[in-house]
Amino acid sequence: MIKKITCTTCPMGCDMLLEHEDGKILSLTGNRCARGKAYAENEFFHPARVLTTVLYVKACDSMLPVRSDRPIPKDRLFECLRAVKGIRVVPPVHRGDILYAGIAGDANIIASADM
Amino acid sequence: MGTDVLVVGGGPAGMAAALSAAQSGAGSVLIVERNERLGGILNQCIHNGFGLTLFGKELTGPEYAGRYADQIGQAEIPCLFNTTVVSMTGNKEVLIRNTDGERQIEAGAVILATGCRERPRGAISIPGSRPAGVYSAGTVQKLINCCGYMPGKRAVILGSGDIGLIMARRLTLEGAHVEAVCEIMPYSSGLKRNIVQCLEDYDIPLYLSHTVTRIFGRERVEGVEISGVDEHLAPVEGTQRFIECDTLLLSVGLIPENELAGYAGIVMDAKTGGPLVNDRLETSVPGIFACGNSLHVHDLADFASLEAVEAGKNAAAYVKAGGEACQEFECRAGNGIGSVVPQRMSAKALAEGATAYIRVGRPFENASIVIKRGDRVIRTVRSPRLTPGEMVKTVVRDSGDGDLTFEVDSHD
């Protein structure tokens, strides 16, 4: 099978074609450098994204931006989002404070701003 | 009341400019910010991807703003919040207004860091009624991220600029369904990273060479008609398709915010929408500088801040030593080039090496940006890929004579 992967490592944005079978990479074409290869392998085996969202803080009647402190596996983003939305924030909160420890393994949800 | 350097706007450019001016020896620096806190648009950009260049880390907008705001606090730079600059003269008399009333500030130098605005619906002609549910992408960003309101359940986004792409993901994560992103051009002006992480990750279709040709609904948007466009960007008959939706987001470009520049009689550049500046980022009015998105729209906040650092240094130098008269040469946008900033470079700056920010007019593959003085080529920047969405920064060094012309030499 062929998977199309666009490298986002640099502005070049190489369009790569990754040929795979039974979870193994057979070949990769279209990358212009070694970073593209590393990116494609990572995107194929462990695609992950930083999760960002906002939480309503009742005490301040305003929204607190939050994020995961490391990338979360892509297929678990929505599941994590549901857990994050359940966080009850009690101010004061400072930028970088952990609001939820150990989400999707060893990631934490941290505050993006002071409140 | 007076100040050495007055910075209008406390976003990524204004904060960087103020810090830089203070660090470069300006006696007094003042930031005037219309919001209640520093950060500007960064505060509503809760996604990550900021700070890679400046902080070596992937931060969210509020984090990037917070780091700068901390430095402003440590440097004890005063900020006037909830304050608007009402007008400004060429003599750098700045009229401000807040709840305490109106006050005039005499500034030694002014740095315009007022950012930009979104092009509104009126700037593109979409026939149809005026139902609720048509928003600019940045407005939706503010509604969701700062106010906690969801503007709709099913959305179509017109324009694939970065804010449109970012909002496709935000809407999806917050529970709405994004039916499609339409882009009138045959290419997206957004960053590749955003196409991948905001659209492809969530299987949101991107229709290139498509536009919205009609909006349906009386009280509320009920759907839109999209059409394919030809090479002249005109809708092609027979390609119309109806998409049911309750919300239409417009991400159709940004316009530098420059009302104040107009009051002061500053000469503008029709190509960038910002003031015409020299290599010191000084406008046609001595002592008034411009940087960030009010000068020209940048791809990344980091780049706006980096440019503002230069404006801050130069404003401080102007206050200390006054302006220096120097022979200047014009930087002309030639074939294939969308815009060049600065529009003028001094002989002295050119001899030392002056930075030029170049945007191409359309995408090119395996092309070069060629900088010439007359027929003499002084610099060639080769690139496998040039797109209007990615600004090219290069240093021009030459001790010759004559105006500069920037051109694209496409090998195809």
Side-chain angles (χ1 to χ4, degrees):
Chain A
M1 287 211 289
I2 300 276
K3 186 178 163 66
K4 200 190 127 221
I5 297 176
T6 309
C7 185
T8 61
T9 313
C10 84
M12 210 82 88
C14 294
D15 292 315
M16 304 181 286
L17 293 175
L18 183 146
E19 191 186 353
H20 62 97
E21 208 172 277
D22 304 326
K24 284 193 190 111
I25 297 175
L26 301 177
S27 71
L28 178 75
T29 53
N31 59 308
R32 288 183 177 88
C33 73
R35 287 192 301 168
K37 183 167 176 275
Y39 177 87
E41 284 170 0
N42 203 45
E43 271 294 283
F44 183 70
F45 292 116
H46 316 284
R49 303 286 185 257
V50 168
L51 176 67
T52 69
T53 187
V54 285
L55 293 174
Y56 176 63
V57 181
K58 204 174 174 192
C60 304
D61 189 27
S62 57
M63 308 305 290
L64 177 70
V66 302
R67 71 165 170 109
S68 61
D69 61 354
R70 66 197 67 187
I72 286 175
K74 222 168 94 173
D75 55 8
R76 296 188 64 187
L77 281 176
F78 281 96
E79 163 203 334
C80 291
L81 191 61
R82 276 192 293 279
V84 172
K85 290 290 183 183
I87 300 173
R88 207 173 136 257
V89 181
V90 182
V93 175
H94 299 287
R95 192 170 81 236
D97 282 0
I98 293 177
L99 305 172
Y100 189 122
I103 200 163
D106 54 1
N108 303 306
I109 296 298
I110 59 171
S112 262
D114 298 341
M115 184 169 275
Chain B
M1 185 190 170
T3 183
D4 278 352
V5 177
L6 187 142
V7 181
V8 188
M15 292 191 290
L19 266 176
S20 161
Q23 286 160 358
S24 305
S28 56
V29 179
L30 173 70
I31 299 177
V32 180
E33 166 58 47
R34 89 179 142 198
N35 218 316
E36 61 196 15
R37 57 180 166 166
L38 289 169
I41 290 301
L42 287 167
N43 290 319
Q44 70 184 57
C45 299
I46 63 139
H47 54 281
N48 58 311
F50 297 86
L52 269 171
T53 310
L54 266 173
F55 298 109
K57 274 186 177 175
E58 220 175 291
L59 305 169
T60 62
E63 288 173 315
Y64 183 102
R67 280 174 176 239
Y68 258 114
D70 288 352
Q71 293 180 56
I72 299 273
Q74 280 153 16
E76 296 181 358
I77 296 171
C79 305
L80 282 174
F81 293 115
N82 299 309
T83 305
T84 301
V85 175
V86 183
S87 67
M88 176 176 76
T89 69
N91 290 328
K92 301 177 286 288
E93 298 149 334
V94 179
L95 189 66
I96 62 162
R97 178 180 278 171
N98 54 27
T99 48
D100 296 335
E102 229 169 45
R103 202 153 35 122
Q104 183 169 293
I105 301 176
E106 278 91 41
V110 175
I111 301 176
L112 298 172
T114 44
C116 58
R117 283 180 185 275
E118 296 181 277
R119 281 179 77 202
R121 178 178 174 177
I124 50 167
S125 30
I126 307 174
S129 49
R130 293 285 183 272
V134 182
Y135 299 92
S136 69
T139 301
V140 172
Q141 187 176 46
K142 186 166 188 178
L143 286 174
I144 297 179
N145 295 346
C146 300
C147 311
Y149 293 123
M150 275 299 280
K153 294 191 175 83
R154 294 177 75 174
V156 168
I157 300 175
L158 175 60
S160 63
D162 286 310
I163 312 170
L165 300 176
I166 291 289
M167 288 320 295
R169 175 173 62 187
R170 285 294 299 135
L171 282 160
T172 307
L173 281 174
E174 298 300 333
H177 190 262
V178 179
E179 303 289 336
V181 176
C182 294
E183 169 60 57
I184 194 166
M185 302 305 284
Y187 53 87
S188 167
S189 59
L191 300 173
K192 275 264 180 182
R193 179 178 69 190
N194 288 335
I195 303 271
V196 173
Q197 296 189 357
C198 300
L199 299 187
E200 291 174 11
D201 273 6
Y202 302 97
D203 296 318
I204 299 168
L206 169 63
Y207 299 116
L208 297 174
S209 295
H210 274 73
T211 191
V212 171
T213 40
R214 216 172 143 187
I215 300 171
F216 296 95
R218 271 187 66 83
E219 299 296 318
R220 175 81 200 192
V221 172
E222 288 164 12
V224 296
E225 176 193 84
I226 68 166
S227 303
V229 299
D230 62 20
E231 64 268 34
H232 307 295
L233 309 182
V236 177
E237 190 53 40
T239 61
Q240 300 95 324
R241 193 146 63 85
F242 176 78
I243 302 180
E244 195 180 317
C245 63
D246 57 23
T247 307
L248 174 65
L249 269 67
L250 303 177
S251 175
V252 291
L254 299 169
I255 308 164
E257 162 82 73
N258 278 303
E259 248 182 305
L260 289 175
Y263 294 139
I266 288 169
V267 179
M268 305 297 290
D269 179 353
K271 289 200 173 84
T272 57
L276 206 132
V277 294
N278 61 20
D279 52 85
R280 296 189 300 280
L281 305 177
E282 188 179 24
T283 66
S284 61
V285 176
I288 301 183
F289 298 79
C291 59
N293 279 1
S294 61
L295 176 58
H296 56 147
V297 177
H298 292 68
D299 306 335
L300 299 174
D302 294 56
F303 297 165
S305 295
L306 282 169
E307 183 181 80
V309 169
E310 297 306 313
K313 266 187 218 162
N314 297 333
Y318 176 88
V319 171
K320 279 195 282 185
E324 46 179 308
C326 188
Q327 191 186 6
E328 282 180 354
F329 301 100
E330 208 180 309
C331 300
R332 291 200 194 101
N335 203 13
I337 301 290
S339 61
V340 180
V341 172
Q343 294 84 350
R344 291 195 314 266
M345 288 182 179
S346 70
K348 188 173 160 234
L350 275 163
E352 287 166 3
T355 305
Y357 302 87
I358 308 152
R359 224 179 254 288
V360 292
R362 63 173 179 89
F364 293 94
E365 293 217 348
N366 294 316
S368 306
I369 293 174
V370 181
I371 308 168
K372 291 180 186 168
R373 287 184 118 166
D375 289 331
R376 190 167 57 89
V377 173
I378 57 169
R379 177 134 178 73
T380 303
V381 187
R382 279 185 184 73
S383 173
R385 187 182 216 137
L386 293 166
T387 77
E390 274 154 23
M391 196 150 67
V392 178
K393 183 179 170 184
T394 190
V395 174
V396 191
R397 193 174 282 114
D398 187 61
S399 49
D401 202 16
D403 290 341
L404 293 85
T405 306
F406 293 65
E407 288 173 0
V408 177
D409 180 7
S410 68
H411 308 305
D412 50 47

